[in-house]
């Protein structure tokens, strides 16, 4: 499996390559953002790992530019910036996962495997999910409500997809973290609540009935009543 690693610290590059030796990964390394974009344009990668604070174009901008033409290759941000605001900004750039330095190699391995599995999963021939007047097409990634097109980020789309696949079922925050983000995040963060709020503003605020409901002390549920 081919991996693009955007990282300007040789010690971190060496740590990752040595730590994942024997796992079947073939690493290509870019030391700055512009080089990373050039490499993406010339090669296919099974997963892309981006540091944020790198020379030239920063990792978030690299992620956004990749997503303009490629919405399927898994992107994991690996950064020393670890506040909730940083993490939310990372996911807003349509990254698939976010890890904070210093990191655990075993956790990095699990997250990479999870992202690659998720990107390689087969989808059924008919991939349209509905509830009330909300329709989600998993093939075209189009979301409409009352026939109005709604624009979602990658993370918002995955969150909506997971809620729809489990409609009428109360989902604890931990379950949402594991299934939408692919691995546990620090439960001290409120990233689930932040993204639920984002989603509500887009698919519930100007429509009726409301579809995303809070079950106090338990989690969230999607239902039309």
């Amino acid at each position: 499996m081919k991996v693009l690693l955007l990282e300007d610290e040789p010690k971190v590059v060496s740590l990752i390559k040595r730590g994942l030796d024997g796992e079947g990964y073939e690493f290509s390394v870019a030391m700055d953002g512009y080089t990373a974009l050039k490499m993406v344009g010339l090669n296919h990668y099974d997963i892309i790992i981006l540091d944020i604070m790198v020379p030239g174009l920063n990792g978030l901008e690299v992620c956004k530019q990749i997503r303009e033409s490629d919405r399927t290759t898994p992107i994991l941000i690996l950064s020393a910036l670890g506040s909730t605001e940083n993490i939310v900004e990372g996911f807003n750039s349509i990254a698939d996962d976010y890890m904070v330095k210093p990191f655990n190699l075993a956790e990095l391995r699990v997250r990479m495997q999870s992202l690659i599995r998720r990107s390689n999963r087969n989808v059924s021939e008919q991939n349209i999910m509905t509830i009330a007047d909300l329709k989600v097409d998993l093939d075209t990634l189009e979301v409409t409500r009352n026939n109005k097109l709604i624009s979602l980020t990658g993370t918002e789309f995955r969150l909506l997809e997971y809620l729809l696949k489990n409609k009428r079922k109360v989902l604890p925050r931990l379950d949402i973290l594991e299934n939408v983000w692919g691995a546990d995040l620090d439960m001290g963060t409120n990233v689930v609540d932040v993204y639920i709020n984002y989603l509500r503003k887009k698919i519930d605020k100007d429509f009726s009935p409301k579809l995303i409901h809070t079950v106090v002390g338990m989690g969230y549920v999607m239902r039309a009543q």
Side-chain angles (χ1 to χ4, degrees):
M1 289 176 286
K2 293 186 176 181
V3 182
L4 174 61
L5 175 61
L6 171 58
E7 174 60 64
D8 65 332
E9 290 289 339
K11 289 183 179 179
V12 177
V13 173
S14 178
L15 173 66
I16 292 174
K17 293 175 73 172
R18 285 188 289 106
L20 298 180
D21 185 44
E23 298 288 332
Y25 295 114
E26 178 184 334
F27 284 91
S28 298
V29 179
M31 306 292 285
D32 66 85
Y34 291 111
T35 299
L37 281 179
K38 290 179 182 178
M39 294 170 69
V40 169
L42 295 173
N43 302 281
H44 165 76
Y45 296 99
D46 295 290
I47 187 169
I48 298 170
I49 302 175
L50 305 175
D51 188 12
I52 294 178
M53 297 182 294
V54 294
L57 205 63
N58 72 52
L60 294 181
E61 289 301 322
V62 171
C63 183
K64 291 175 184 176
Q65 292 197 33
I66 291 173
R67 284 295 183 237
E68 289 177 3
S69 59
D70 179 358
R71 297 185 65 89
T72 59
T73 301
I75 297 178
L76 185 154
I77 291 178
L78 186 62
S79 173
L81 303 176
S83 70
T84 298
E85 291 75 15
N86 296 139
I87 294 172
V88 168
E89 186 179 8
F91 283 114
N92 279 342
S93 68
I94 324 184
D96 296 284
D97 202 353
Y98 194 113
M99 283 188 69
V100 178
K101 297 177 181 177
F103 58 92
N104 181 281
L105 276 169
E107 182 180 356
L108 175 62
R109 181 185 300 110
V110 169
R111 291 192 184 218
M112 290 174 63
Q113 292 170 346
S114 176
L115 290 173
I116 293 171
R117 282 197 306 269
R118 193 165 68 200
S119 71
N120 290 337
R121 67 187 177 189
N122 294 323
V123 295
S124 62
E125 293 182 2
Q126 185 66 19
N127 278 312
I128 296 178
M129 298 188 296
T130 62
I131 183 172
D133 57 350
L134 175 72
K135 182 170 75 172
V136 176
D137 189 321
L138 298 180
D139 290 325
T140 65
L141 304 183
E142 287 187 350
V143 177
T144 60
R145 184 152 193 200
N146 193 25
N147 295 318
K148 178 182 177 182
L149 189 63
I150 298 172
S151 177
L152 300 180
T153 67
T155 303
E156 290 166 351
F157 187 92
R158 292 196 302 275
L159 174 58
L160 177 60
E161 178 185 356
Y162 184 64
L163 292 172
L164 270 171
K165 285 182 175 179
N166 295 277
K167 56 187 176 184
R168 294 184 293 276
K169 177 181 177 181
V170 178
L171 300 170
R173 288 173 177 81
L174 182 58
D175 284 1
I176 296 173
L177 278 172
E178 291 174 343
N179 288 277
V180 176
W181 279 266
D184 291 344
L185 289 176
D186 181 359
M187 284 302 292
T189 72
N190 62 344
V191 67
V192 172
D193 304 286
V194 168
Y195 271 86
I196 287 287
N197 186 49
Y198 288 162
L199 204 53
R200 277 175 164 157
K201 288 180 179 179
K202 293 185 176 182
I203 71 167
D204 266 351
K205 182 179 178 182
D206 299 322
F207 302 94
S208 181
K210 304 305 180 188
L211 300 177
I212 302 176
H213 304 272
T214 302
V215 181
V216 178
M218 299 181 68
Y220 297 99
V221 60
M222 174 163 273
R223 58 173 180 251
Q225 295 80 26

